Amino acid sequence: MKKNKLNTPSSTALRFLEWFCPPQLYEGIEGDLLEQFDNDCREAGERRAKWRLLLNALRFFRPGILLRNKFSTSLTGTSMISNYIKVASRNILRRKLYSFINAFGLSTGIAFSILIYLFIQDERSFDQFHVNKDRIYRMKGISYEEDAKKQQRFQSMSQMQLALASVMKAELPEVEYATHFCGSHGTLQHEEKIFKEQFTYVDADFFKMFSFPLLRGNADKIFQGKDEIVLTPALAQKYFGHPDVLGKTLVLNGRELTVTGIIGAPPANSSLGFQALVPIQGWSSYNQRNLDEWRNMGFATFVQLHANGVPEDFQTKLDLLTKKYMRDIVQRWREEKSIPAEYEPYTISFTKLPDIHFEKEIGWEKVSDPQYSWILGGIALLILLIACINYISLSLTTSARRRGEVGIRKVAGAYRKQLVYQFGVESIVLALISMVIGIGLVMLFLPAFNTFTGKAIGLRSHDGISLLAVTLGITLLVGVVAGCYPALFLSGFKPVQVLRGTFTAKLQAGFTRPLVVLQFALSAFLMFSSVIMYRQMRYVTTKDLGYDQHQIVIIPMQIRRGENSRRILEHFRQQASAHASVVSVTGTDYPFAGDDGMIFGYTVNGEPKSSWGYTVDPYYIKALGIQLVQGRDFDADNPADSVKTIIVNEALVRDMKWKDPLNEYLQYHGRDTTQGARVIGVVKDFHFLSLTQDITPMFLSMEERLNYILVKINGKSIPETLEQLRKYFIAAAPGKPFEYQFLDENVARQYQSFDRWMNIMGLSTVFAILISCLGLFGLAGINAVNRTKEIGIRKVLGADLYNVFLLLNKQYVWLSLIAFVLAAFPAWYAMNAWLASFQFRIEINGGLFAAGMLLTLLIALLTVSYHAIKAALINPAETLKYE
Amino acid sequence: MGKEYLGEFEELVLTMVGVLGEDAYGNAIVSEFKERMDRPVNLSAVHVTLYRLEDKGLLKSRMGGATNARGGRRKRIFSITNAGLATLRAMKESRTDLWKLIPQLKFS
């Protein structure tokens, strides 16, 4: 029907309307729209009228209209569905390589998405299992930090005042329950079983607030007294051999405790972790001094508000509470740090229990950055998209084989719509197969994924349904998205042309080329990053730290207050030195490679300075192979060395601007005004901190007590040596558990999180390369198909395999070069940012990038060669006989 | 009728169809809304309501003759059925009954 009207409205709007509008209503609606358009033209001009028409047409896209469609077409389609599935499976089976490649690409994408879904799900499930999760809060103190370099002006910490819990409960009507949650460790003994264990000191309210199941015992009666302990089943098993241990006794640090409850171990997605709970009232830190002094903080505190408690009111009252108890302290801090009036030096606030996991500014067990979830989600989406587009380009490559089928079907009376359904079904079938493989991959990779991410995700049955739903959803989405374009393309063949045999389709897949470049750029980016990360980690683990970290056994002496550690050490040394495998024995207060250690702050000429101070014994420097550059070592035969004598490192000398350090004294005890300790030696700088930090001032002294024995062994028959050391230790320190670590392992552990990211990157790189190779493979295939005849003619004219190979592969060299250029800068930038967290790092140099580029090129060429060689080997008679 | 309730907009549209008589179609109702009630309404909303009322049996529709004005498209002319008229009347009466029960209204 010809449209005869004065103005021509935008026909797209009307075509869209025609598409979704039920045909019986269409004419009336269209007429009304056109009439309104004419009116608008007269009143507001043609331009605005067109806009209004579009807007009005779009407004008809609503359920009231859409649902009036009769969905009959899809019903007639279903009668053919069994045939579609049959044809699909035959096709899949006939072309095994292509099906495999397709299924591989899709299943990788699906598997990755499932893993990342599980990860995000796990992140979000943290602490959600507590019934009262919306009423439980962790207290935090927010203090003003004067460090001008940092952007963040305030620092939050979860260490609170000891008295806060009881004061809040007594004075604030909102607070229903309050408990401390303080981790500590000590030795636990039952008969001959002695081990060092982690303890958590809590209050009786703990059992009423949190939803950890109390397997045995009565929540209302637990922790009425001081000498009680609640164990997890695993710990009960460890000490008693069975879980039914109510009323039995254990000795903790010399105190006898009665087991009054068995509590279920916290799940992996709990921010609160514990093995044994002990009432805080029995702790040595729970004393009057700490209760009275509001400057002493170090006790994590949780509260539960009443059901009608308003958090805002709670905050207001907390502010009043802070004023009441800490006015003078806060005032003094304000003066000391000269804090401007607009900032509050210290406020007490709180965080909702489920939010603890993501509050990354407060150090807490398992705390995590919500950004990871977003980044991983983005990666999953990207991988899915890439897998879909690879599927598209691969199906286009092989579309030539389906031409005949499409022609016959059309001649036999198939509508285009039916063909679209057919190819859609085919891709969905393939997606479903991929889903099965993908689930298999998930199961295969879940343990590795858990190691990488430090999680304990399992395919639990209770969330199986939602997981299955998500998986199916992803699969169908992938099937539809991937199948869409090939279905439209394949069903568009004209039967007459196809069946006459002269049809040559130029495959239009313009979008695959930029996509392949993008994929390759991504792979190259990941490859660069992995290589640089790997190099840095190798550098970190092999760098000479300035001392000998290898073959040193660390034995904690488990010293309690008032015990003489030096005597134990001497006793141990006498026996152990005689052993053939022991090179030397020494002691220290804190071994390096941990965050533990003492930092002393002092003032020199009005300038605040600080320095790490380690307590050692006279054999320490020799045992660790630390280099002495000036002066002398501690002398074991000279008792005078054990007081007011220190050996400093070069960084301290520089920091103090000493010309002649051996004639200097250091007063490292803050306000003490005496001369201080005499410097007898200077050691060469060594990395006692992790390589993420610069070497800071440090000194060694012999004044404080020792906590650890370090044994240098010669590395022969280590298990036997350790067994010997155990015997010596038990003889020297009866009743103490023997534990050991290796110094080099501790050193390596400092880089655990970097290591984890390196592993994740490595895995992603492998996947990215595989997937982008698929993409390139598809693109090369499309290209080879398009040029089949050209190659035939060239061969007839005398081109050999080499020429054809060159002809087809030239462009991929360019593609991979572009990809490389695209990837190089972001990789350089990102890796510089990553390396910046290390104070000591490798240089990113051109050679690294050149190697990366060569590798990219090689992978690309390997991938595309299959098609090039195949195309070059076809007998030209085959391709040209129809011309 | 009783069991089927009409919304305010539905009732207005139904009434408009009654008012417009032989010339009740989508656009006419929109301009009637504008003129008589000074209320801008959207064409699609009117259409959807008309179809819903037709489903309920309160309206019936037929295609009118072709004209040149609207690109040759025919109008879908709606007319009120007996059931529709009865519903309108019932609604009006129940309103009036309620109206009378309001005690403090005095027109003086």
Side-chain angles (χ1 to χ4, degrees):
Chain A
M1 196 200 293
K2 269 265 177 256
K3 296 176 183 176
N4 53 340
K5 51 188 171 290
L6 297 167
N7 300 304
T8 47
S10 97
S11 49
T12 19
L14 292 178
R15 233 181 297 144
F16 179 62
L17 180 73
E18 192 172 3
W19 174 68
F20 70 76
C21 183
Q24 72 274 15
L25 300 180
Y26 177 65
E27 191 179 351
I29 294 176
E30 192 195 20
D32 276 1
L33 281 173
L34 289 175
E35 191 180 330
Q36 217 169 42
F37 174 74
D38 282 345
N39 284 342
D40 286 340
C41 270
R42 256 174 273 127
E43 283 168 22
E46 195 176 332
R47 261 178 75 89
R48 296 182 69 179
K50 273 183 181 168
W51 274 112
R52 282 189 200 167
L53 176 72
L54 185 67
L55 212 69
N56 283 331
L58 284 181
R59 277 183 172 158
F60 274 95
F61 194 78
R62 55 199 283 169
I65 299 289
L66 289 176
L67 293 180
R68 281 171 198 279
N69 279 305
K70 290 201 181 70
F71 298 98
S72 53
T73 41
S74 59
L75 282 173
T76 52
T78 50
S79 60
M80 289 290 282
I81 208 153
S82 59
N83 176 268
Y84 295 159
I85 292 177
K86 193 185 277 172
V87 171
S89 51
R90 279 181 190 164
N91 260 308
I92 290 169
L93 287 177
R94 194 176 60 181
R95 294 175 298 155
K96 291 195 181 65
L97 176 70
Y98 267 102
S99 309
F100 170 74
I101 291 175
N102 270 331
F104 174 77
L106 291 182
S107 54
T108 316
I110 291 172
F112 226 85
S113 314
I114 296 175
L115 282 179
I116 288 170
Y117 168 78
L118 285 173
F119 176 87
I120 295 174
Q121 199 63 8
D122 185 73
E123 285 283 278
R124 285 164 45 107
S125 74
F126 256 77
D127 301 315
Q128 296 293 337
F129 57 90
H130 295 290
V131 178
N132 299 324
K133 63 180 157 70
D134 295 325
R135 286 155 57 198
I136 299 178
Y137 298 89
R138 179 186 64 188
M139 305 309 297
K140 64 177 173 190
I142 304 171
S143 55
Y144 182 85
E145 274 310 306
E146 59 183 354
D147 191 1
K149 272 183 280 180
K150 278 186 187 166
Q151 290 284 313
Q152 210 173 5
R153 299 272 236 185
F154 291 94
Q155 203 179 14
S156 305
M157 56 180 189
S158 59
Q159 282 92 350
M160 305 308 296
Q161 297 78 2
L162 183 60
L164 184 67
S166 50
V167 164
M168 281 193 302
K169 212 177 153 187
E171 300 186 20
L172 303 185
E174 279 89 356
V175 175
E176 186 177 13
Y177 300 118
T179 180
H180 294 91
F181 190 84
C182 307
S184 177
H185 45 71
T187 26
L188 196 61
Q189 181 179 9
H190 174 68
E191 291 163 4
E192 78 286 1
K193 287 181 181 158
I194 310 170
F195 299 101
K196 186 176 172 182
E197 301 291 355
Q198 305 282 336
F199 294 95
T200 309
Y201 291 101
V202 299
D203 296 69
D205 282 353
F206 179 87
F207 302 97
K208 294 171 194 144
M209 294 164 68
F210 298 100
S211 303
F212 300 110
L214 197 63
L215 305 174
R216 288 192 168 78
N218 185 342
D220 294 327
K221 291 191 181 144
I222 285 178
F223 288 7
Q224 302 291 327
K226 275 197 240 179
D227 300 320
E228 294 180 27
I229 186 166
V230 169
L231 302 176
T232 52
L235 216 59
Q237 193 73 29
K238 184 172 168 187
Y239 283 90
F240 298 98
H242 58 94
D244 194 14
V245 294
L246 283 195
K248 300 246 162 99
T249 56
L250 282 162
V251 178
L252 165 64
N253 293 344
R255 234 158 33 92
E256 197 174 77
L257 304 178
T258 312
V259 179
T260 51
I262 299 291
I263 195 164
N269 58 357
S270 167
S271 291
L272 303 169
F274 53 82
Q275 294 183 314
L277 300 168
V278 185
I280 193 164
Q281 286 76 10
W283 194 16
S284 57
S285 300
Y286 194 87
N287 50 36
Q288 204 53 46
R289 193 162 53 90
N290 277 335
L291 279 173
D292 292 339
E293 180 53 86
W294 281 67
R295 269 183 307 183
N296 292 0
M297 304 171 206
F299 309 92
T301 304
F302 286 82
V303 296
Q304 177 175 328
L305 301 191
H306 280 288
N308 55 2
V310 184
E312 285 76 25
D313 296 349
F314 181 45
Q315 180 64 62
T316 323
K317 291 187 185 160
L318 273 177
D319 292 342
L320 292 174
L321 205 71
T322 319
K323 284 223 170 61
K324 178 172 167 193
Y325 287 93
M326 298 182 68
R327 178 192 296 268
D328 295 346
I329 299 170
V330 169
Q331 192 54 38
R332 204 171 323 136
W333 279 339
R334 186 185 287 285
E335 282 158 19
E336 274 173 17
K337 299 186 193 167
S338 52
I339 295 168
E342 68 261 34
Y343 297 111
E344 210 43 61
Y346 184 80
T347 42
I348 294 178
S349 184
F350 47 87
T351 314
K352 217 175 192 174
L353 181 61
D355 298 336
I356 291 178
H357 182 58
F358 293 116
E359 196 174 25
K360 62 178 170 30
E361 57 266 30
I362 295 183
W364 192 266
E365 203 184 355
K366 293 178 188 167
V367 70
S368 145
D369 193 333
Q371 245 180 339
Y372 291 162
S373 298
W374 288 110
I375 294 173
L376 284 175
I379 292 177
L381 215 65
L382 201 68
I383 289 180
L384 267 188
L385 191 75
I386 287 174
C388 287
I389 294 184
N390 284 346
Y391 175 87
I392 292 173
S393 62
L394 278 172
S395 0
L396 293 190
T397 314
T398 53
S399 62
R401 301 195 181 197
R402 308 297 296 273
R403 262 187 240 146
E405 183 191 338
V406 171
I408 298 283
R409 275 184 187 269
K410 280 202 170 171
V411 168
Y415 291 115
R416 185 173 180 182
K417 208 180 253 177
Q418 285 179 313
L419 285 167
V420 171
Y421 282 137
Q422 187 204 332
F423 290 113
V425 166
E426 217 169 293
S427 69
I428 288 174
V429 167
L430 195 72
L432 285 172
I433 295 174
S434 309
M435 180 182 87
V436 176
I437 304 176
I439 292 176
L441 283 177
V442 168
M443 288 177 181
L444 195 68
F445 280 110
L446 198 59
F449 184 73
N450 277 337
T451 328
F452 292 154
T453 52
K455 287 191 172 295
I457 302 170
L459 293 172
R460 293 173 299 259
S461 50
H462 65 263
D463 49 24
I465 290 172
S466 71
L467 182 64
L468 206 67
V470 167
T471 313
L472 257 174
I474 294 174
T475 307
L476 289 181
L477 188 78
V478 164
V480 170
V481 170
C484 221
Y485 185 77
L488 288 173
F489 178 78
L490 288 171
S491 61
F493 290 136
K494 298 260 182 327
V496 182
Q497 288 178 354
V498 166
L499 294 177
R500 210 166 48 184
T502 57
F503 180 68
T504 47
K506 185 123 178 98
L507 298 177
Q508 297 290 332
F511 56 87
T512 49
R513 192 178 299 239
L515 196 95
V516 163
V517 171
L518 188 78
Q519 287 178 23
F520 248 74
L522 190 75
S523 311
F525 172 82
L526 287 172
M527 200 157 64
F528 287 142
S529 310
S530 308
V531 169
I532 292 171
M533 280 175 156
Y534 174 74
R535 295 263 305 251
Q536 170 68 17
M537 292 313 291
R538 206 183 52 184
Y539 170 81
V540 159
T541 41
T542 57
K543 182 174 166 50
D544 180 14
L545 297 179
Y547 67 93
D548 187 5
Q549 49 168 323
H550 301 290
Q551 290 165 359
I552 291 191
V553 183
I554 304 173
I555 304 168
M557 284 195 274
Q558 329 270 11
I559 295 297
R560 287 207 297 274
R561 207 175 287 268
E563 281 183 312
N564 191 339
S565 56
R566 278 174 204 275
R567 222 184 49 223
I568 296 175
L569 178 61
E570 282 316 313
H571 195 116
F572 180 83
R573 188 190 336 264
Q574 273 167 18
Q575 291 193 303
S577 309
H579 194 269
S581 313
V582 174
V583 180
S584 60
V585 176
T586 179
T588 181
D589 59 344
Y590 296 105
F592 319 135
D595 295 327
D596 283 350
M598 304 263 266
I599 300 176
F600 294 88
Y602 43 88
T603 315
V604 178
N605 300 332
E607 194 185 341
K609 288 186 186 295
S610 67
S611 168
W612 290 72
Y614 289 102
T615 301
V616 298
D617 77 348
Y619 309 97
Y620 187 77
I621 290 179
K622 252 184 251 101
L624 285 182
I626 299 168
Q627 250 184 311
L628 208 60
V629 288
Q630 272 183 2
R632 59 177 181 89
D633 195 354
F634 293 117
D635 188 350
D637 300 324
N638 184 356
D641 276 1
S642 62
V643 273
K644 300 219 163 183
T645 320
I646 55 171
I647 294 177
V648 301
N649 70 352
E650 292 170 318
L652 192 124
V653 175
R654 278 195 303 276
D655 189 46
M656 299 294 287
K657 301 187 182 69
W658 283 337
K659 290 264 160 27
D660 181 14
L662 294 183
N663 283 325
E664 297 284 355
Y665 291 84
L666 181 70
Q667 180 46 267
Y668 54 85
H669 284 295
R671 299 217 170 90
D672 200 333
T673 49
T674 57
Q675 196 177 24
R678 186 162 62 91
V679 178
I680 60 163
V682 178
V683 291
K684 199 167 186 308
D685 279 340
F686 63 96
H687 294 276
F688 63 98
L689 298 171
S690 99
L691 290 173
T692 57
Q693 292 169 55
D694 209 352
I695 298 177
T696 55
M698 184 223 55
F699 62 85
L700 305 170
S701 79
M702 303 221 292
E703 274 188 40
E704 305 285 329
R705 66 177 190 166
L706 305 168
N707 296 323
Y708 292 86
I709 302 174
L710 303 185
V711 185
K712 170 91 180 163
I713 56 176
N714 64 10
K716 281 182 204 137
S717 59
I718 291 175
E720 281 111 87
T721 314
L722 285 173
E723 183 52 31
Q724 277 300 318
L725 292 179
R726 193 179 75 84
K727 284 185 187 147
Y728 298 145
F729 181 76
I730 288 172
K736 291 193 186 296
F738 173 77
E739 285 169 358
Y740 68 88
Q741 295 158 338
F742 284 98
L743 182 58
D744 44 3
E745 284 172 10
N746 283 5
V747 169
R749 202 167 301 138
Q750 294 178 312
Y751 311 110
Q752 219 171 17
S753 64
F754 296 107
D755 221 34
R756 191 184 294 162
W757 270 107
M758 186 183 77
N759 284 332
I760 290 179
M761 287 297 269
L763 192 74
S764 318
T765 310
V766 172
F767 275 120
I769 290 178
L770 282 177
I771 286 177
S772 59
C773 283
L774 285 187
L776 195 59
F777 192 73
L779 179 65
I782 291 177
N783 196 38
V785 167
N786 280 346
R787 300 173 81 167
T788 315
K789 282 194 178 156
E790 180 195 338
I791 293 165
I793 294 168
R794 279 175 191 271
K795 282 188 80 172
V796 168
L797 293 177
D800 57 8
L801 191 132
Y802 171 74
N803 296 127
V804 176
F805 188 79
L806 209 67
L807 172 81
L808 283 176
N809 284 355
K810 213 164 44 190
Q811 57 168 318
Y812 302 113
V813 175
W814 284 110
L815 283 189
S816 51
L817 276 179
I818 296 172
F820 164 77
V821 170
L822 280 179
F825 184 69
W828 180 79
Y829 183 79
M831 279 301 102
N832 260 340
W834 184 78
L835 285 174
S837 51
F838 289 90
Q839 199 68 38
F840 296 89
R841 53 183 182 251
I842 53 166
E843 285 297 315
I844 301 179
N845 55 26
L848 208 71
F849 277 85
M853 186 177 78
L854 223 62
L855 206 61
T856 322
L857 211 62
L858 200 69
I859 291 172
L861 280 180
L862 272 178
T863 317
V864 297
S865 294
Y866 169 80
H867 286 296
I869 292 173
K870 198 175 127 193
L873 286 180
I874 296 177
N875 186 348
E878 290 285 322
T879 52
L880 297 176
K881 65 183 169 192
Y882 293 112
E883 290 297 313
Chain B
M1 296 285 283
K3 53 193 180 232
E4 282 280 8
Y5 294 100
L6 289 187
E8 182 259 357
F9 192 64
E10 282 178 319
E11 190 193 342
L12 279 176
V13 170
L14 189 59
T15 320
M16 290 290 188
V17 174
V19 170
L20 285 167
E22 274 303 287
D23 200 27
Y25 68 101
N27 255 357
I29 294 171
V30 172
S31 38
E32 197 73 4
F33 260 107
K34 213 175 194 170
E35 264 170 41
R36 294 191 189 272
M37 309 193 65
D38 198 21
R39 172 170 167 177
V41 293
N42 189 269
L43 184 63
S44 62
V46 171
H47 269 264
V48 170
T49 313
L50 284 172
Y51 302 143
R52 198 161 51 229
L53 289 171
E54 193 178 0
D55 287 348
K56 289 180 181 172
L58 306 180
L59 290 178
K60 57 181 188 237
S61 72
R62 60 188 166 81
M63 298 308 283
T67 56
N68 271 340
R70 4 193 301 142
R73 306 290 182 279
R74 291 175 295 169
K75 294 172 183 168
R76 183 175 286 274
I77 306 281
F78 288 86
S79 52
I80 194 159
T81 61
N82 287 340
L85 217 52
T87 310
L88 268 188
R89 198 166 286 137
M91 285 181 80
K92 182 180 169 266
E93 274 164 17
S94 61
R95 291 264 168 86
T96 327
D97 286 348
L98 271 178
W99 196 246
K100 285 177 194 153
L101 292 179
I102 301 177
Q104 65 268 53
L105 266 176
K106 292 195 180 100
F107 299 95
S108 57

